[in-house]
Amino acid sequence: GLTAIQDPGISFHDIDLYKAAADNGELTLRHDAMFLGISGDTLGTAATPNTPKISNYRNRFSVNAVKFFMDGALGSWGAAMLKP
């Protein structure tokens, strides 16, 4: 069965939500996440390679990586088609 999931792109605000869920026994799957290495009005502060990591919190939650976008596509949103 499904025992773990990965989330490549959480914000610092999400950490408190995941920790609370783990503390309350509501996080039933192991969750491996990555901080976003970009910032913005809705994303908050950007992570860096020096951002503190979280390893195996309550045996359910870890953040051990930072996701950076290097291809110019800015994730799955795609590029603007300005001219045909």
Side-chain angles (χ1 to χ4, degrees):
L2 189 61
T3 61
I5 57 174
Q6 293 184 339
D7 187 352
I10 67 169
S11 68
F12 288 103
H13 172 72
D14 295 332
I15 293 172
D16 294 333
L17 299 174
Y18 284 118
K19 282 185 171 182
D23 289 339
N24 295 330
E26 298 168 348
L27 197 60
T28 57
L29 297 174
R30 285 188 299 278
H31 191 101
D32 294 315
M34 298 174 213
F35 287 119
L36 277 177
I38 59 175
S39 63
D41 292 340
T42 59
L43 300 172
T45 305
T48 69
N50 296 323
T51 299
K53 311 302 184 273
I54 299 169
S55 295
N56 211 16
Y57 182 81
R58 300 262 190 223
N59 198 32
R60 289 288 182 258
F61 180 60
S62 297
V63 183
N64 294 310
V66 177
K67 180 177 181 173
F68 292 98
F69 298 100
M70 301 298 280
D71 63 355
L74 300 175
S76 61
W77 302 289
M81 301 293 275
L82 301 176
K83 293 183 181 181

